[in-house]
Amino acid sequence: MPASIPTFSGFAFVAQPLDRADPLRDDADALARHWPRARVLVLDAEGLAYADEHGQPAALTGADIGPAPGTAIFLGLAGEQAWFCVDATQVTVEAPGRIDLRRAGAEWPGALSTAFAYARGMSWWQARTRFCGVCGGPIAFRRGGFIGHCAQCGNDHYPRVDPAVIVAVSDGARLLLGRQASWAPRRYSVIAGFVEPGESLEQTVAREVHEETQIRIDACQYLGAQPWPFPGALMLGFRAQADGAQPPQVDGELEDARWFTREEVGAALARDGHDDGEGLLLAPSISIARALIEDWYHRG
């Protein structure tokens, strides 16, 4: 075991975030001045980003694209350079390849994959906010893409994220992991679920763990968060304690749940994503789920 406990980190989509430069969203003239030199991420209807022949982000500027589409989303600033994202259907430029966000999280520099995750969440929200949920009127986007305004009833609509808890439950010696039927054989992960109206995060942790495994936790502690735009979640990471005498039981949502020993988890971490056909498989290294498992393991 290492002598010191590592900082809770290592997952994707949180490194070197852009300065969101909120005041600029109201300044259409300033955004127009920034556009020609701006870095632009182009995303297609599936949320894939334009990439070069090496799978890296296509180095496109506003000048490469031409006039800014009305649906261009102002993401913020990196130093003096503005960043935008645009819908591929609104531009005429092409690129040799496309890349999905999970692959980008593993292969792109942290700042770039973080910007991609931000763009992915915003573009997904815009694509699903075409009409007003109050009156059905058409939506026009304002403030650099951050407000959807209904011309018919005047209501404004704002970007949404869905908060979800994800929790490493331990009895001190073992870690509680579950699996969904759709996952690869032998893959298990920590317990997760969405926050419901009227709940605190701690209440959600207790409810989700019990609903999915029938385990009742004694206490929990917040550790950190990860944007997870698949399509629009924010994963809020916890660790929790429970009495290991409680046998996990599943009822529909999970296919299986069980307690795993430190030796079993350590062997899975040592495989580092390379499936040798035996033993436990864990969540990918880009995820907060993996970080929670590693945090539990290294704490001893």
Side-chain angles (χ1 to χ4, degrees):
M1 296 290 174
S4 61
I5 297 172
T7 303
F8 185 71
S9 62
F11 41 89
F13 314 137
V14 295
Q16 298 175 273
L18 295 169
D19 172 1
R20 300 201 173 200
D22 181 78
L24 280 179
R25 295 174 186 168
D26 286 316
D27 193 338
D29 291 338
L31 294 181
R33 289 193 298 271
H34 275 289
W35 173 258
R37 294 185 57 254
R39 183 71 180 269
V40 182
L41 296 174
V42 181
L43 276 58
D44 68 15
E46 283 72 47
L48 305 179
Y50 277 24
D52 64 21
E53 62 272 17
H54 305 294
Q56 293 299 302
L60 296 169
T61 66
D64 295 324
I65 289 171
T71 55
I73 301 170
F74 172 61
L75 300 174
L77 299 173
E80 296 299 317
Q81 186 179 36
W83 282 61
F84 291 81
C85 69
V86 298
D87 183 337
T89 63
Q90 303 297 308
V91 299
T92 58
V93 296
E94 271 300 332
R98 305 284 189 276
I99 190 168
D100 67 84
L101 183 53
R102 283 182 171 85
R103 181 180 162 197
E107 298 181 5
W108 285 8
L112 290 174
S113 62
T114 296
F116 182 5
Y118 174 18
R120 176 78 171 84
M122 286 297 300
S123 63
W124 183 85
W125 169 74
Q126 272 204 3
R128 285 151 184 79
T129 315
R130 301 298 192 192
F131 298 95
C132 178
V134 178
C135 73
I139 290 293
F141 293 101
R142 300 176 173 179
R143 294 203 79 235
F146 278 76
I147 289 181
H149 179 74
C150 176
Q152 186 163 288
C153 72
N155 274 289
D156 289 330
H157 302 268
Y158 298 87
R160 296 288 304 274
V161 295
D162 297 317
V165 300
I166 183 164
V167 53
V169 181
S170 173
D171 68 354
R174 297 175 299 172
L175 183 65
L176 179 66
L177 300 176
R179 65 168 276 106
Q180 297 181 14
S182 61
W183 291 355
R186 309 191 326 279
R187 183 174 298 281
Y188 283 75
S189 190
V190 288
I191 308 304
F194 287 101
V195 181
E196 294 184 353
E199 279 188 322
S200 70
L201 299 180
E202 293 82 1
Q203 289 167 343
T204 305
V205 169
R207 176 183 57 78
E208 283 289 345
V209 172
H210 186 257
E211 283 182 356
E212 295 188 11
T213 69
Q214 297 301 299
I215 299 294
R216 295 197 179 276
I217 64 168
D218 300 322
C220 66
Q221 178 185 4
Y222 173 75
L223 293 180
Q226 181 186 34
W228 195 248
F230 301 104
L234 175 66
M235 306 303 296
L236 302 156
F238 286 79
R239 61 170 173 255
Q241 296 80 50
D243 181 355
Q246 303 174 84
Q249 302 175 54
V250 297
D251 185 20
E253 189 163 349
L254 294 178
E255 179 185 65
D256 187 32
R258 65 180 74 168
W259 294 104
F260 286 86
T261 67
R262 192 168 303 280
E263 291 72 24
E264 289 174 307
V265 173
L269 291 172
R271 281 191 288 274
D272 196 25
H274 300 292
D275 185 5
D276 60 4
E278 298 182 6
L280 173 66
L281 296 178
L282 299 175
S285 60
I286 67 167
S287 66
I288 194 172
R290 177 64 170 266
L292 287 165
I293 293 169
E294 292 181 353
D295 176 78
W296 172 80
Y297 179 76
H298 289 299
R299 282 178 182 274

